[in-house]
């Protein structure tokens, strides 16, 4: 195949559109497509501040790279989840990327600042902490964005992630989640920042190709907790379908967003409404204590039991010394600012 733009031998094939690009033209095509999505979905404007949720992987670092190359004011944020070596390596990749490009990376350290780590949050039925981990991430990305005045939180969810989520929600007929699935989640409260997913139409292959061609040093391994997760099974099924029908994943997701979502829409493409402030942390919630504060209590309790049984074993996630500050105020980390609860 030849490059769609310059006719040189192609390196990356876009199977859903039956086109291909050489390594020189591909990054420009990729960035132009992201720009088109940002504009088309009205995700954010050039004068707005974007907080990129960074995990050290190809999607989030690729997104951060794209946004800065497109001229957006985008800072990063990393959460030290305390998942042993995986967290240490992903933190290193995130910090190295920020340092190389002279970017600002905010960090929250669960163990130091909140007294528990994600492995303390295992669900007794599934044996996995992923649902709780999702709550942790949503809470801190949103809280830091709200506290520091960002206009929008951008995540690196790609087509494979979104199609797998859609598939899971269809399998279980989670109509509430189906109604909220989309590339933009509007704010319904001054402390709930807008969420956007600029890479939602790019496959994992395409985001990986961008990261490789742009020489982004990202973490290759998956989180060890992901093993056996339902989302991986859904991705595997969709990949099998994609092998036989190129473009199936894309049409499944984009077709749903264009045609199917309206018929299952429950409360609009918004975050929850009817909100009040959490009695402990002040973040918006529907109950007296927010889901995060309730979950953090359980995590701290499990961490205390573990410490009593085995003695305190700090999770080696950082060599960067940090300094505690009074609750609610920013504190300095290696590069940027982290916030206490
Ligand atoms: Fe968190 Fe589960 Fe993802 Fe690991 S696999 S980062 S525990 S959500
Ligand atoms: Zn709370």
């Amino acid at each position: 195949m030849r490059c769609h733009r310059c006719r040189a031998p192609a390196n990356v094939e876009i199977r859903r559109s039956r086109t291909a690009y050489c390594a020189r033209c591909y990054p420009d095509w990729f960035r132009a497509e992201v720009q088109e999505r940002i504009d088309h979905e009205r995700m954010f404007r050039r004068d707005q501040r974007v907080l990129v949720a960074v995990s050290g992987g190809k999607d989030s670092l690729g997104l951060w790279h794209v946004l800065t190359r497109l001229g957006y004011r985008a800072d990063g944020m990393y959460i030290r989840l305390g998942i042993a070596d995986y967290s240490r390596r992903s933190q290193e990749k995130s910090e190295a990327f920020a340092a190389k490009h002279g970017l600002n990376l905010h960090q929250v350290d669960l163990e130091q600042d909140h007294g528990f780590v994600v492995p303390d949050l295992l669900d007794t039925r599934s044996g996995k902490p992923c649902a709780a981990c999702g709550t942790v991430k949503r809470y801190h990305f949103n809280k830091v964005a709200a506290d520091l005045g960002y206009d929008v939180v951008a995540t690196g969810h790609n087509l494979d992630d979104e199609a797998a989520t859609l598939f899971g929600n269809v399998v279980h007929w989670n109509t509430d989640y189906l109604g909220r699935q989309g590339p933009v989640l509007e704010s319904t409260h001054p402390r709930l920042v807008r969420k956007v997913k600029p890479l939602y139409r790019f496959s994992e292959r395409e985001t990986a190709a961008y990261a490789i061609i742009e020489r982004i040093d990202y973490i290759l391994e998956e989180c060890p907790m992901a093993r056996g997760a339902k989302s991986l099974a859904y991705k595997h099924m969709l990949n099998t379908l994609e092998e036989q029908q190129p473009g199936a994943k894309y049409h499944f997701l984009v077709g749903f967003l264009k045609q199917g979502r309206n018929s299952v829409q429950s409360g609009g493409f918004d975050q929850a409404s009817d909100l009040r402030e959490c009695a402990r942390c002040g973040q918006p919630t529907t109950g007296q204590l927010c889901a995060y504060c309730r979950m953090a209590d359980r995590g701290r309790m499990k961490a205390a039991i573990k410490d009593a049984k085995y003695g305190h074993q700090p999770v080696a996630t950082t060599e960067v010394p940090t300094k505690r500050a009074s609750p609610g105020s920013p504190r300095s980390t290696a590069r940027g600012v982290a916030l206490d609860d």
Side-chain angles (χ1 to χ4, degrees), residues 139 278 280-283 289-290 292-293:
Y139 178 87
C278 169
R280 186 179 300 162
C281 73
Q283 283 295 100
L289 275 190
C290 73
Y292 176 81
C293 283

Side-chain angles (χ1 to χ4, degrees), residues 300-313:
R300 278 188 282 268
M301 205 191 301
K302 285 211 185 140
I305 293 168
K306 199 173 64 185
D307 285 353
K309 215 165 164 185
Y310 305 111
H312 182 64
Q313 295 172 334

Side-chain angles (χ1 to χ4, degrees), residues 41-116:
E41 302 285 350
R42 297 186 183 166
M43 290 184 178
F44 43 85
R45 301 185 310 266
R46 254 161 223 292
D47 60 332
Q48 292 185 307
R49 292 176 68 219
V50 183
L51 186 67
V52 181
V54 171
S55 70
K58 64 184 185 320
D59 302 308
S60 59
L61 292 183
L63 173 62
W64 201 6
H65 187 275
V66 167
L67 295 183
T68 52
R69 288 294 297 272
L70 289 173
Y72 287 100
R73 297 160 67 202
D75 293 337
M77 175 172 160
Y78 177 82
I79 304 174
R80 300 177 190 173
L81 300 171
I83 307 174
D85 281 353
Y86 168 76
S87 281
R88 185 177 51 75
R89 280 197 282 275
S90 60
Q91 184 189 335
E92 280 169 8
K93 299 287 183 195
S94 305
E95 289 181 348
F97 180 90
K100 181 177 171 188
H101 297 279
L103 298 169
N104 192 20
L105 179 67
H106 305 296
Q107 298 199 37
V108 163
D109 187 322
L110 280 190
E111 191 184 36
Q112 282 199 28
D113 303 340
H114 299 270
F116 68 94

Side-chain angles (χ1 to χ4, degrees), residues 130-252:
C130 296
C133 183
T135 303
V136 166
K137 290 178 192 168
R138 280 190 297 277
Y139 178 87
H140 286 295
F141 288 133
N142 180 75
K143 186 170 189 301
V144 169
D147 286 348
L148 298 181
Y150 286 90
D151 297 288
V152 66
V153 173
T155 58
H157 291 95
N158 60 37
L159 174 64
D160 295 56
D161 300 325
E162 292 297 287
T165 301
L166 174 60
F167 190 78
N169 284 334
V170 169
V171 167
H172 297 286
W173 286 117
N174 291 328
T175 48
D176 206 32
Y177 289 121
L178 281 170
R180 289 176 197 276
Q181 181 159 1
V184 177
L185 202 54
E186 296 294 350
S187 166
T188 48
H189 186 281
R191 289 198 58 80
L192 279 181
V193 180
R194 252 170 132 240
K195 314 288 181 323
V196 298
K197 302 170 183 171
L199 304 184
Y200 78 103
R201 285 196 182 201
F202 296 93
S203 72
E204 219 155 271
R205 274 182 65 249
E206 291 160 17
T207 58
Y210 181 82
I212 291 165
I213 292 170
E214 288 291 5
R215 298 181 198 282
I216 295 170
D217 185 17
Y218 62 86
I219 185 163
L220 285 167
E221 70 206 68
E222 291 273 350
C223 170
M225 305 284 176
R227 253 172 250 138
K230 279 187 199 159
S231 59
L232 290 188
Y234 299 147
K235 281 187 180 179
H236 182 68
M237 273 185 257
L238 289 165
N239 283 340
T240 307
L241 184 65
E242 183 81 17
E243 280 296 312
Q244 292 166 11
Q245 298 177 28
K249 265 186 275 193
Y250 181 86
H251 294 297
F252 176 51

